[in-house]
Amino acid sequence: MSAELFLIPFLTGLACAIVLPVLGCYLRLRDEWLAALAYSHVAAAGALLALVAGMAPVLGGLVTAALAGAGRRLFARRLSGGASDALLLLAGWAGAVLLAANAPLAERLGHALFDGQLYFAGSEQLWPVASGGLVALLALRALSPRLLLARIYPDLFRLRGLAAWPTQVGFDLLAALSLAMATMSLGVMGAFALVFIPPWLAFRRAADWRSGLRWALAIGVLAYVAAFALALGLDQPFGPVLALLLVLVGLLVA
Amino acid sequence: MNGLLRAEQLVVGWQQPATQPLDLTIAAGEIVGLTGPNGVGKSTLLAAFAGRAKVFSGRIEQRPGLRLALQRQDVPPVVGMPLSGRELLTLTGASPVGLPAWLADRLDIRLDKLSGGQRHYLTLWAILQAPADLVLLDEPTNNLDVAGVAHLTEHLRDQAAAGAGILVVSHDTAFVDAVCDRVIGLRGNDVG
């Protein structure tokens, strides 16, 4: 009974633990890891707003995160040096906290989003997360050469007459939607921990890009499984346990 | 048009004009050198040919369908990034065949673990060997030792013999003399 009860939350989180570390490698490649935290906060605010408006929270989170991802590029030139991500993060956090404080309906979901209560995940979350994760991995595989080239040889796009914006906007949207989906399940900081720490460790150790992706994936999945068992055994909220475990692993390895 | 690229009375810059009017033609199989003191606009000219800097007057004409490659002075930001030399070459479509022995056996090492000269030559090779009709090089001998310069000289001659046009900006007089068919000296007030 309890195994069945926890199987769906476990699989939902596992799908996130597979996608987020790989996505995090590309965010780190582009020096955009702060954007991940911003997308999570904006998604949380969008979910709460949707709940207050009588709509599905997941839909609200996805839509606001997608708008943030698409809109981020518009302001990137005016707000350089990561300012656009910092402003998005602050706006998302402020909006989410104010909604949770002023709308009784949003308070419980607000706590769940920031605490990372994975155990509430149901099959209505598992299938979108699993199928969305698969699409995200396939899209990352297709975008990978262009994302790497944009970093190490940015002139190539102009020299070959190729438009760089579809890759940039496509990746921003992909990152925003993936983070929004993961935030609904793992919570804001749980999702950020998986997108930041495994790639950070993998980049230090890996011999090449492919092995970097494999390292990040392995660290993310192992940490997730361990955190799931620990949080369940100790009856603690999942998000902080995962984040703390990854921080400890990070400090030990570093 | 005859040739790969032609510039007529070309004046380029970023926010404001930074060069004197320049006439230039580069034909297939030709290596042309651009020399001159710092600040005369050599790198800006390459940037303009690559479509990055602004053309203030005159014009640039390219052969239709011309494939360009550009090597800049700044090294790609690879520190802290797990990317091997082999992966770099694959990304740009460059072949490792012909690499000097001191680099060929280091292709599976991360770029940020190579020495500055090795990393420079590998990133240069990734651009030189990528499919291109006209190669624009900005101070390609920076960070290279004698063996690296000798190998680069020989390789550029081979590439030109195979039909590529090459435009080289360099302060390295010996290298320019050894590799270029023609040298254009830029000065602050006029072009010689």
Side-chain angles (χ1 to χ4, degrees), chain A residues 155 158 160 203 206-209, chain B residues 52 72 82 87-88 110 131:
Chain A
D155 291 319
R158 186 184 292 105
R160 299 281 160 85
F203 272 38
D208 55 29
W209 185 256
Chain B
R52 288 177 58 230
R72 289 203 242 167
E87 287 173 325
L88 172 71
R110 276 170 67 136

Side-chain angles (χ1 to χ4, degrees), chain A residues 28-29 144-146 148-149 151-156 158-160 202-212, chain B residues 50-52 67-70 72 76-78 80-84 87-88 91-92 108-110 127 130-132:
Chain A
R28 191 164 192 83
L29 167 77
S144 182
R146 284 185 165 222
L148 286 162
L149 274 172
R151 175 71 177 176
I152 56 168
Y153 191 18
D155 291 319
L156 190 71
R158 186 184 292 105
L159 294 170
R160 299 281 160 85
F203 272 38
R204 295 167 68 98
R205 299 278 167 168
D208 55 29
W209 185 256
R210 276 176 177 274
S211 69
Chain B
R52 288 177 58 230
R67 294 172 304 171
L68 282 167
L70 169 69
R72 289 203 242 167
V78 293
M81 186 178 149
L83 189 75
S84 70
E87 287 173 325
L88 172 71
L91 280 170
T92 64
D108 293 314
I109 296 174
R110 276 170 67 136
I127 291 166

Side-chain angles (χ1 to χ4, degrees), chain B residues 12-30:
Chain B
V12 301
W14 299 100
Q15 279 78 37
Q16 56 192 26
T19 62
Q20 293 296 312
L22 171 73
D23 291 314
L24 169 75
T25 305
I26 303 172
E30 187 180 30

Side-chain angles (χ1 to χ4, degrees), chain A residues 6-7 9-11 118-119 223-233 238 241:
Chain A
F6 290 113
L7 181 63
F10 175 78
L11 292 176
L118 175 63
Y119 309 114
Y224 166 75
V225 172
F228 192 91
L230 263 177
L232 201 60
F238 172 76
V241 173

Side-chain angles (χ1 to χ4, degrees), chain A residues 35-110:
Chain A
L37 197 53
Y39 292 144
S40 287
H41 278 84
V42 167
L48 296 178
L49 189 63
L51 186 70
V52 170
M55 296 161 62
V58 173
L59 189 65
L62 287 174
V63 169
T64 48
L67 287 173
R72 184 176 172 276
R73 195 56 52 188
L74 294 174
F75 297 102
R77 281 189 186 172
R78 288 173 185 271
L79 302 171
S80 56
S84 59
D85 297 333
L87 293 184
L88 261 179
L89 163 62
L90 290 169
W93 170 77
V97 172
L98 284 173
L99 279 165
N102 290 287
L105 197 62
E107 190 180 358
R108 191 174 162 204
L109 179 61

Side-chain angles (χ1 to χ4, degrees), chain A residues 53-238:
Chain A
M55 296 161 62
V58 173
L59 189 65
L62 287 174
V63 169
T64 48
L67 287 173
R72 184 176 172 276
R73 195 56 52 188
L74 294 174
F75 297 102
R77 281 189 186 172
R78 288 173 185 271
L79 302 171
S80 56
S84 59
D85 297 333
L87 293 184
L88 261 179
L89 163 62
L90 290 169
W93 170 77
V97 172
L98 284 173
L99 279 165
N102 290 287
L105 197 62
E107 190 180 358
R108 191 174 162 204
L109 179 61
H111 278 299
L113 286 172
F114 282 95
D115 292 351
Q117 293 287 13
L118 175 63
Y119 309 114
F120 297 151
S123 55
E124 73 281 1
Q125 265 175 281
L126 171 61
W127 296 115
V129 168
S131 52
L134 185 63
V135 171
L137 288 176
L138 292 173
L140 277 175
R141 186 175 177 170
L143 287 173
S144 182
R146 284 185 165 222
L147 291 170
L148 286 162
L149 274 172
R151 175 71 177 176
I152 56 168
Y153 191 18
D155 291 319
L156 190 71
F157 290 88
R158 186 184 292 105
L159 294 170
R160 299 281 160 85
L162 303 170
W165 71 265
T167 303
Q168 293 169 344
V169 173
F171 178 75
D172 286 344
L173 266 175
L174 176 69
L177 290 171
S178 301
L179 260 303
M181 291 291 275
T183 299
M184 302 298 152
S185 309
L186 303 176
V188 171
M189 285 302 168
F192 179 64
L194 273 174
V195 95
F196 180 80
I197 296 179
W200 169 58
L201 293 173
F203 272 38
R204 295 167 68 98
R205 299 278 167 168
D208 55 29
W209 185 256
R210 276 176 177 274
S211 69
L213 294 177
R214 285 196 293 266
W215 268 103
L217 181 61
I219 294 167
V221 168
L222 286 175
Y224 166 75
V225 172
F228 192 91
L230 263 177
L232 201 60
L234 300 173
D235 193 23
Q236 294 296 313
F238 172 76

